[in-house]
Amino acid sequence: MQDLLQKIAAYKSEIDAFTAADDKRVEEFRIKWLGTKGLVKGTMGEMKHVPNEQKREAGQILNEFKQFAEAKFEALKEAHSGTESLSDSMDLSLPGDETPLGSRHPISLMRNRIISIFQRLGFAVAEGPEVEDDWHNFTALNMPEHHPARDMQDTFYVDAGENSAVDWLLRTHTSNTQIREMEKGKLPIRVICPGRVYRNETISARSHCFFHQVEGLYIDEHVSFADLKQTLYFFVKEMYGQDVRVRFRPSYFPFTEPSAEMDVSCFICGGTGCNICKKTGWVEILGCGMIHPNVLQNCGINPEKYTGFAFGMGVERPAMLKYGINDIRLFSENDVRFLKQFTSAT
Ligand code: PHE
Protein backbone atom coordinates (compact mmCIF):
# COMPACT_ATOMS: atom_id res chain seq x y z
CA MET A 1 0.00 0.00 0.00
CA GLN A 2 2.80 2.38 0.91
CA ASP A 3 4.54 1.57 -2.38
CA LEU A 4 1.38 2.27 -4.29
CA LEU A 5 0.90 5.63 -2.65
CA GLN A 6 4.45 6.64 -3.42
CA LYS A 7 4.10 5.53 -6.99
CA ILE A 8 0.89 7.50 -7.44
CA ALA A 9 2.46 10.60 -5.94
CA ALA A 10 5.36 10.33 -8.38
CA TYR A 11 2.99 9.78 -11.30
CA LYS A 12 0.93 12.75 -10.28
CA SER A 13 3.86 15.12 -10.25
CA GLU A 14 4.96 13.74 -13.61
CA ILE A 15 1.47 14.37 -15.00
CA ASP A 16 1.41 17.79 -13.46
CA ALA A 17 4.69 18.75 -15.09
CA PHE A 18 3.63 17.47 -18.51
CA THR A 19 3.35 20.11 -21.22
CA ALA A 20 2.28 19.73 -24.81
CA ALA A 21 3.22 21.96 -27.71
CA ASP A 22 0.81 20.40 -30.18
CA ASP A 23 -1.83 17.73 -30.74
CA LYS A 24 0.75 15.08 -31.24
CA ARG A 25 2.07 15.49 -27.70
CA VAL A 26 -1.49 15.44 -26.32
CA GLU A 27 -2.03 12.11 -28.03
CA GLU A 28 1.23 10.83 -26.60
CA PHE A 29 -0.07 11.74 -23.16
CA ARG A 30 -3.33 9.91 -23.77
CA ILE A 31 -1.57 6.74 -24.88
CA LYS A 32 0.95 6.78 -22.04
CA TRP A 33 -1.56 7.36 -19.23
CA LEU A 34 -5.09 6.63 -20.39
CA GLY A 35 -4.61 4.11 -23.17
CA THR A 36 -5.59 0.43 -22.82
CA LYS A 37 -1.99 -0.33 -21.94
CA GLY A 38 -1.53 2.98 -20.17
CA LEU A 39 -0.17 3.58 -16.71
CA VAL A 40 -3.53 4.49 -15.16
CA LYS A 41 -5.01 1.17 -16.09
CA GLY A 42 -1.81 -0.58 -15.05
CA THR A 43 -1.92 1.07 -11.66
CA MET A 44 -5.57 0.15 -11.19
CA GLY A 45 -4.52 -3.45 -11.79
CA GLU A 46 -2.45 -3.27 -8.63
CA MET A 47 -5.63 -3.30 -6.58
CA LYS A 48 -5.40 -7.04 -6.48
CA HIS A 49 -2.19 -6.87 -4.39
CA VAL A 50 -3.81 -4.60 -1.83
CA PRO A 51 -4.97 -6.37 1.33
CA ASN A 52 -8.74 -6.57 1.66
CA GLU A 53 -9.06 -4.17 4.58
CA GLN A 54 -7.31 -1.45 2.62
CA LYS A 55 -9.12 -1.97 -0.65
CA ARG A 56 -11.72 0.72 0.04
CA GLU A 57 -9.11 3.40 0.72
CA ALA A 58 -6.93 2.27 -2.17
CA GLY A 59 -9.92 2.31 -4.51
CA GLN A 60 -10.63 5.91 -3.61
CA ILE A 61 -7.02 6.93 -4.11
CA LEU A 62 -6.82 5.12 -7.44
CA ASN A 63 -10.09 6.63 -8.61
CA GLU A 64 -8.92 10.05 -7.68
CA PHE A 65 -5.66 9.39 -9.55
CA LYS A 66 -7.59 8.33 -12.61
CA GLN A 67 -9.73 11.46 -12.49
CA PHE A 68 -6.59 13.53 -12.03
CA ALA A 69 -5.06 12.09 -15.22
CA GLU A 70 -8.33 12.47 -17.12
CA ALA A 71 -8.73 16.09 -16.02
CA LYS A 72 -5.20 16.83 -17.16
CA PHE A 73 -5.96 15.19 -20.51
CA GLU A 74 -9.13 17.26 -20.94
CA ALA A 75 -7.18 20.44 -20.13
CA LEU A 76 -4.49 19.55 -22.64
CA LYS A 77 -7.10 18.80 -25.31
CA GLU A 78 -8.85 22.07 -24.63
CA ALA A 79 -5.65 24.06 -24.98
CA HIS A 80 -4.81 22.40 -28.24
CA SER A 81 -8.11 22.04 -29.98
CA GLY A 82 -7.63 22.93 -33.61
CA THR A 83 -3.90 23.26 -33.25
CA GLU A 84 -3.12 20.09 -35.09
CA SER A 85 0.35 20.90 -36.24
CA LEU A 86 0.57 21.43 -39.98
CA SER A 87 3.69 19.36 -40.20
CA ASP A 88 1.73 16.30 -38.92
CA SER A 89 -0.92 16.33 -41.58
CA MET A 90 1.10 17.41 -44.57
CA ASP A 91 4.59 17.38 -45.92
CA LEU A 92 5.61 21.00 -46.23
CA SER A 93 8.62 20.08 -48.30
CA LEU A 94 6.42 18.87 -51.17
CA PRO A 95 6.17 21.26 -54.13
CA GLY A 96 2.79 23.01 -54.45
CA ASP A 97 0.15 22.10 -57.01
CA GLU A 98 0.96 23.77 -60.27
CA THR A 99 -1.56 26.41 -61.33
CA PRO A 100 -1.32 26.86 -65.07
CA LEU A 101 -0.60 30.50 -65.84
CA GLY A 102 -2.39 32.20 -68.69
CA SER A 103 -0.43 34.54 -70.91
CA ARG A 104 -1.03 37.59 -73.01
CA HIS A 105 -1.04 37.10 -76.74
CA PRO A 106 2.20 38.42 -78.27
CA ILE A 107 0.16 40.83 -80.41
CA SER A 108 -1.47 42.23 -77.27
CA LEU A 109 1.93 42.54 -75.62
CA MET A 110 3.32 44.55 -78.53
CA ARG A 111 0.17 46.64 -78.93
CA ASN A 112 0.21 47.50 -75.21
CA ARG A 113 3.86 48.52 -75.42
CA ILE A 114 3.14 50.87 -78.30
CA ILE A 115 0.06 52.30 -76.60
CA SER A 116 1.80 52.92 -73.28
CA ILE A 117 4.54 54.97 -74.93
CA PHE A 118 2.02 57.29 -76.60
CA GLN A 119 -0.08 57.46 -73.46
CA ARG A 120 2.92 58.96 -71.71
CA LEU A 121 2.83 61.73 -74.33
CA GLY A 122 -0.82 62.43 -73.51
CA PHE A 123 -2.50 60.44 -76.28
CA ALA A 124 -5.85 58.85 -75.44
CA VAL A 125 -6.97 55.51 -76.89
CA ALA A 126 -9.90 55.51 -79.35
CA GLU A 127 -11.56 52.46 -80.87
CA GLY A 128 -13.85 52.14 -83.85
CA PRO A 129 -15.83 49.52 -85.76
CA GLU A 130 -14.21 46.79 -87.87
CA VAL A 131 -17.19 46.67 -90.22
CA GLU A 132 -17.21 50.14 -91.71
CA ASP A 133 -18.90 52.17 -94.41
CA ASP A 134 -17.11 53.44 -97.46
CA TRP A 135 -17.15 57.03 -96.23
CA HIS A 136 -15.13 56.46 -93.06
CA ASN A 137 -12.66 54.03 -94.59
CA PHE A 138 -12.08 55.81 -97.93
CA THR A 139 -14.09 58.82 -99.08
CA ALA A 140 -13.57 61.02 -96.03
CA LEU A 141 -9.87 60.18 -96.23
CA ASN A 142 -9.61 61.96 -99.56
CA MET A 143 -10.15 58.80 -101.61
CA PRO A 144 -13.34 59.42 -103.58
CA GLU A 145 -14.87 56.62 -105.67
CA HIS A 146 -12.57 55.41 -108.46
CA HIS A 147 -9.57 57.02 -106.80
CA PRO A 148 -6.57 54.89 -107.80
CA ALA A 149 -5.27 54.88 -104.21
CA ARG A 150 -8.13 52.58 -103.24
CA ASP A 151 -6.28 49.84 -105.07
CA MET A 152 -3.36 50.17 -102.61
CA GLN A 153 -5.54 48.24 -100.19
CA ASP A 154 -7.42 45.22 -101.51
CA THR A 155 -10.71 45.44 -99.74
CA PHE A 156 -13.19 42.84 -98.47
CA TYR A 157 -16.69 44.16 -99.15
CA VAL A 158 -19.65 43.07 -97.05
CA ASP A 159 -22.83 42.09 -98.86
CA ALA A 160 -25.45 44.22 -97.13
CA GLY A 161 -28.21 43.50 -99.64
CA GLU A 162 -29.29 45.43 -102.71
CA ASN A 163 -31.21 48.03 -100.74
CA SER A 164 -28.25 49.15 -98.69
CA ALA A 165 -27.65 52.85 -99.27
CA VAL A 166 -23.92 52.60 -98.59
CA ASP A 167 -21.14 50.14 -99.31
CA TRP A 168 -20.05 48.20 -96.25
CA LEU A 169 -16.57 46.73 -95.93
CA LEU A 170 -14.05 45.39 -93.44
CA ARG A 171 -11.84 48.34 -92.57
CA THR A 172 -8.48 48.27 -94.30
CA HIS A 173 -6.85 50.53 -91.70
CA THR A 174 -7.78 52.08 -88.36
CA SER A 175 -7.88 55.53 -90.00
CA ASN A 176 -11.67 55.08 -89.95
CA THR A 177 -11.48 55.70 -86.20
CA GLN A 178 -9.54 58.90 -86.79
CA ILE A 179 -12.34 60.17 -89.06
CA ARG A 180 -14.89 59.29 -86.39
CA GLU A 181 -12.88 61.18 -83.77
CA MET A 182 -12.66 64.24 -86.04
CA GLU A 183 -16.38 64.12 -86.77
CA LYS A 184 -17.12 64.41 -83.05
CA GLY A 185 -16.04 68.04 -83.46
CA LYS A 186 -14.09 68.37 -80.21
CA LEU A 187 -10.68 69.95 -80.62
CA PRO A 188 -7.81 69.59 -80.00
CA ILE A 189 -7.54 65.85 -80.70
CA ARG A 190 -4.74 63.61 -79.51
CA VAL A 191 -5.62 59.93 -79.94
CA ILE A 192 -4.13 56.60 -80.92
CA CYS A 193 -6.31 54.02 -82.63
CA PRO A 194 -5.30 50.41 -82.14
CA GLY A 195 -7.23 47.63 -83.80
CA ARG A 196 -7.60 44.81 -86.28
CA VAL A 197 -7.73 45.50 -90.01
CA TYR A 198 -8.45 43.37 -93.09
CA ARG A 199 -7.00 43.20 -96.58
CA ASN A 200 -7.59 40.69 -99.31
CA GLU A 201 -4.05 39.36 -99.49
CA THR A 202 -2.73 35.88 -100.08
CA ILE A 203 -1.89 34.26 -96.76
CA SER A 204 1.77 33.33 -96.39
CA ALA A 205 4.47 33.32 -93.73
CA ARG A 206 4.90 37.08 -94.24
CA SER A 207 1.41 38.40 -94.91
CA HIS A 208 -2.13 37.67 -93.73
CA CYS A 209 -5.63 38.79 -94.68
CA PHE A 210 -6.02 40.38 -91.25
CA PHE A 211 -3.51 42.05 -89.02
CA HIS A 212 -3.26 44.83 -86.42
CA GLN A 213 -2.38 48.49 -86.52
CA VAL A 214 -1.84 51.37 -84.18
CA GLU A 215 -2.52 54.69 -85.83
CA GLY A 216 -2.18 58.13 -84.25
CA LEU A 217 -3.76 61.52 -84.78
CA TYR A 218 -2.92 64.95 -83.41
CA ILE A 219 -4.86 68.07 -84.39
CA ASP A 220 -4.54 71.54 -82.88
CA GLU A 221 -3.61 75.05 -83.89
CA HIS A 222 0.01 75.42 -85.09
CA VAL A 223 0.84 71.71 -85.27
CA SER A 224 3.84 71.30 -87.59
CA PHE A 225 5.95 68.60 -89.18
CA ALA A 226 8.52 69.29 -86.44
CA ASP A 227 5.93 68.11 -83.88
CA LEU A 228 5.39 64.96 -85.91
CA LYS A 229 9.10 64.23 -85.99
CA GLN A 230 9.67 64.86 -82.29
CA THR A 231 6.74 62.67 -81.32
CA LEU A 232 7.96 59.80 -83.46
CA TYR A 233 11.59 60.27 -82.31
CA PHE A 234 10.41 59.87 -78.74
CA PHE A 235 8.42 56.78 -79.65
CA VAL A 236 11.30 55.12 -81.48
CA LYS A 237 13.81 55.73 -78.69
CA GLU A 238 11.43 54.37 -76.07
CA MET A 239 10.63 51.38 -78.25
CA TYR A 240 14.00 50.44 -79.74
CA GLY A 241 16.54 52.14 -77.47
CA GLN A 242 18.36 55.48 -77.29
CA ASP A 243 21.00 54.55 -79.88
CA VAL A 244 18.64 53.83 -82.73
CA ARG A 245 18.84 56.16 -85.75
CA VAL A 246 15.85 57.35 -87.74
CA ARG A 247 15.30 58.45 -91.35
CA PHE A 248 12.27 59.81 -93.19
CA ARG A 249 11.62 59.01 -96.84
CA PRO A 250 9.11 60.98 -98.91
CA SER A 251 6.04 58.88 -99.66
CA TYR A 252 2.44 59.16 -100.76
CA PHE A 253 -0.85 58.71 -98.89
CA PRO A 254 -4.02 60.39 -100.18
CA PHE A 255 -4.92 61.58 -96.68
CA THR A 256 -1.62 63.28 -95.79
CA GLU A 257 0.48 65.95 -97.45
CA PRO A 258 3.41 65.92 -97.23
CA SER A 259 3.67 62.17 -96.52
CA ALA A 260 6.64 60.15 -95.34
CA GLU A 261 7.70 56.69 -94.38
CA MET A 262 9.92 56.29 -91.36
CA ASP A 263 12.77 53.81 -91.10
CA VAL A 264 14.85 52.93 -88.04
CA SER A 265 18.40 51.64 -88.13
CA CYS A 266 18.16 47.86 -88.02
CA PHE A 267 17.80 46.85 -84.36
CA ILE A 268 18.92 43.32 -85.18
CA CYS A 269 22.31 44.03 -86.78
CA GLY A 270 22.69 47.65 -85.64
CA GLY A 271 22.82 48.89 -89.24
CA THR A 272 25.63 46.77 -90.63
CA GLY A 273 23.27 44.67 -92.78
CA CYS A 274 21.47 41.37 -92.11
CA ASN A 275 18.59 39.28 -93.47
CA ILE A 276 15.95 41.21 -91.54
CA CYS A 277 16.91 44.56 -93.08
CA LYS A 278 17.79 42.88 -96.39
CA LYS A 279 21.38 44.16 -96.05
CA THR A 280 20.22 47.79 -96.14
CA GLY A 281 20.74 48.53 -92.44
CA TRP A 282 17.23 50.07 -92.24
CA VAL A 283 13.82 48.69 -91.26
CA GLU A 284 10.63 50.47 -92.30
CA ILE A 285 8.26 50.84 -89.37
CA LEU A 286 5.53 53.36 -90.16
CA GLY A 287 3.82 55.77 -92.54
CA CYS A 288 3.00 59.34 -91.52
CA GLY A 289 2.32 62.87 -92.70
CA MET A 290 0.48 66.14 -92.20
CA ILE A 291 -3.27 65.68 -92.51
CA HIS A 292 -4.53 66.73 -95.93
CA PRO A 293 -6.75 69.88 -95.77
CA ASN A 294 -9.48 67.98 -97.68
CA VAL A 295 -9.69 65.44 -94.83
CA LEU A 296 -10.08 68.17 -92.22
CA GLN A 297 -12.75 69.82 -94.35
CA ASN A 298 -14.60 66.51 -94.84
CA CYS A 299 -14.88 66.28 -91.07
CA GLY A 300 -15.99 69.86 -90.55
CA ILE A 301 -12.66 71.17 -89.26
CA ASN A 302 -11.37 74.50 -90.55
CA PRO A 303 -8.00 73.80 -92.25
CA GLU A 304 -7.13 77.51 -92.12
CA LYS A 305 -7.15 77.37 -88.34
CA TYR A 306 -6.17 73.80 -87.52
CA THR A 307 -3.39 71.54 -88.70
CA GLY A 308 -2.42 68.08 -87.62
CA PHE A 309 -0.37 65.01 -88.20
CA ALA A 310 -1.17 61.31 -88.43
CA PHE A 311 0.85 58.13 -88.46
CA GLY A 312 0.15 54.43 -88.74
CA MET A 313 2.11 51.28 -88.02
CA GLY A 314 1.59 47.54 -88.06
CA VAL A 315 1.85 45.48 -84.87
CA GLU A 316 2.70 42.05 -86.32
CA ARG A 317 6.09 42.89 -87.77
CA PRO A 318 7.61 44.50 -84.67
CA ALA A 319 6.21 41.61 -82.62
CA MET A 320 7.80 39.07 -84.97
CA LEU A 321 11.14 40.85 -84.73
CA LYS A 322 11.02 41.25 -80.96
CA TYR A 323 9.98 37.69 -80.14
CA GLY A 324 11.81 35.95 -83.01
CA ILE A 325 8.65 34.67 -84.72
CA ASN A 326 9.18 33.71 -88.34
CA ASP A 327 5.64 32.99 -89.51
CA ILE A 328 2.77 35.49 -89.20
CA ARG A 329 0.20 32.66 -89.33
CA LEU A 330 1.26 31.49 -85.85
CA PHE A 331 -0.47 34.54 -84.37
CA SER A 332 -3.91 33.33 -85.39
CA GLU A 333 -3.65 29.55 -85.11
CA ASN A 334 -4.28 29.40 -81.36
CA ASP A 335 -1.69 26.69 -80.88
CA VAL A 336 -1.26 26.52 -77.12
CA ARG A 337 2.34 25.35 -77.51
CA PHE A 338 3.07 28.64 -79.26
CA LEU A 339 1.02 30.86 -76.94
CA LYS A 340 2.45 29.28 -73.76
CA GLN A 341 5.86 30.67 -74.59
CA PHE A 342 4.74 34.19 -73.75
CA THR A 343 3.75 33.52 -70.13
CA SER A 344 6.53 35.67 -68.78
CA ALA A 345 7.12 37.90 -71.79
CA THR A 346 6.58 41.64 -71.56
N1 PHE B 1 -3.47 54.32 -92.99
C1 PHE B 1 -2.17 54.02 -93.53
C2 PHE B 1 -2.08 52.52 -93.84
O1 PHE B 1 -2.87 51.79 -93.37
C3 PHE B 1 -1.07 54.37 -92.57
C4 PHE B 1 -0.97 55.85 -92.35
C5 PHE B 1 -1.71 56.44 -91.34
C6 PHE B 1 -0.16 56.62 -93.11
C7 PHE B 1 -1.63 57.79 -91.12
C8 PHE B 1 -0.07 57.96 -92.91
C9 PHE B 1 -0.79 58.56 -91.91
O2 PHE B 1 -1.21 52.11 -94.57
Side-chain angles (χ1 to χ4, degrees):
M1 180 71 179
Q2 206 51 38
D3 285 356
L4 187 62
L5 288 181
Q6 263 174 16
K7 202 162 159 184
I8 286 175
Y11 282 164
K12 272 175 130 176
S13 55
E14 189 181 335
I15 288 173
D16 218 18
F18 186 90
T19 57
D22 53 41
D23 274 4
K24 198 173 160 201
R25 284 276 288 164
V26 178
E27 179 63 3
E28 275 169 23
F29 178 91
R30 190 190 64 78
I31 293 168
K32 176 169 179 180
W33 296 101
L34 302 169
T36 35
K37 290 181 182 145
L39 286 170
V40 171
K41 217 174 182 145
T43 317
M44 298 293 240
E46 294 193 19
M47 269 293 269
K48 58 180 179 282
H49 306 303
V50 176
N52 275 343
E53 65 276 14
Q54 289 182 324
K55 272 203 177 10
R56 215 177 108 89
E57 195 193 346
Q60 265 172 10
I61 290 169
L62 279 166
N63 254 332
E64 197 240 331
F65 169 57
K66 187 178 170 210
Q67 278 162 13
F68 181 80
E70 280 171 354
K72 173 79 180 187
F73 176 60
E74 288 304 320
L76 287 171
K77 260 205 326 207
E78 179 92 345
H80 288 280
S81 65
T83 61
E84 183 189 3
S85 119
L86 283 178
S87 53
D88 290 340
S89 56
M90 62 172 86
D91 181 352
L92 291 177
S93 66
L94 284 175
D97 286 343
E98 199 182 326
T99 314
L101 268 190
S103 58
R104 291 236 182 271
H105 193 281
I107 292 295
S108 303
L109 292 171
M110 182 49 75
R111 184 197 54 202
N112 292 348
R113 265 172 81 96
I114 297 171
I115 289 176
S116 79
I117 295 172
F118 285 106
Q119 276 179 331
R120 273 182 271 148
L121 286 173
F123 283 78
V125 175
E127 297 200 57
E130 293 181 19
V131 180
E132 187 54 286
D133 56 44
D134 184 276
W135 168 262
H136 291 96
N137 194 80
F138 288 130
T139 309
L141 286 153
N142 202 28
M143 286 188 270
E145 221 183 321
H146 306 306
H147 191 289
R150 289 192 175 206
D151 298 338
M152 283 164 68
Q153 303 172 348
D154 286 318
T155 310
F156 287 116
Y157 284 89
V158 176
D159 185 356
E162 278 175 21
N163 298 329
S164 176
V166 295
D167 285 336
W168 291 96
L169 48 84
L170 299 182
R171 68 177 174 191
T172 58
H173 47 193
T174 58
S175 307
N176 69 324
T177 309
Q178 309 192 353
I179 295 296
R180 287 178 177 278
E181 287 300 310
M182 287 188 257
E183 284 177 342
K184 286 182 184 166
K186 265 179 73 184
L187 293 159
I189 298 172
R190 194 158 42 182
V191 291
I192 42 171
C193 313
R196 180 177 278 193
V197 302
Y198 302 81
R199 294 184 195 178
N200 189 2
E201 277 174 30
T202 312
I203 298 171
S204 72
R206 314 209 103 237
S207 68
H208 211 295
C209 60
F210 59 79
F211 55 97
H212 298 78
Q213 285 188 325
V214 177
E215 296 206 343
L217 174 71
Y218 182 28
I219 301 178
D220 202 350
E221 292 178 48
H222 314 300
V223 175
S224 72
F225 202 85
D227 298 314
L228 163 64
K229 284 172 84 172
Q230 285 307 322
T231 303
L232 294 179
Y233 282 157
F234 176 81
F235 166 70
V236 161
K237 303 226 178 251
E238 290 295 300
M239 186 78 178
Y240 295 107
Q242 297 300 315
D243 300 332
V244 94
R245 282 166 295 125
V246 173
R247 75 176 182 188
F248 287 88
R249 281 177 294 104
S251 184
Y252 172 77
F253 300 102
F255 32 87
T256 47
E257 179 60 35
S259 304
E261 265 163 321
M262 194 175 90
D263 299 342
V264 294
S265 54
C266 181
F267 38 88
I268 305 294
C269 65
T272 53
C274 67
N275 284 339
I276 298 294
C277 59
K278 303 202 187 77
K279 311 268 184 244
T280 62
W282 296 96
V283 183
E284 183 200 319
I285 60 162
L286 57 82
C288 58
M290 301 305 292
I291 298 163
H292 198 292
N294 288 354
V295 176
L296 294 174
Q297 225 146 22
N298 286 339
C299 301
I301 296 171
N302 180 2
E304 302 292 332
K305 189 170 176 209
Y306 289 98
T307 50
F309 66 75
F311 56 86
M313 70 188 92
V315 178
E316 270 75 359
R317 217 172 119 70
M320 289 169 82
L321 292 173
K322 177 162 169 52
Y323 300 119
I325 297 163
N326 58 12
D327 191 325
I328 197 171
R329 290 169 292 197
L330 287 165
F331 288 129
S332 50
E333 279 169 357
N334 277 341
D335 185 332
V336 177
R337 291 168 302 176
F338 169 73
L339 297 171
K340 256 194 350 208
Q341 297 174 59
F342 300 94
T343 314
S344 55
T346 53

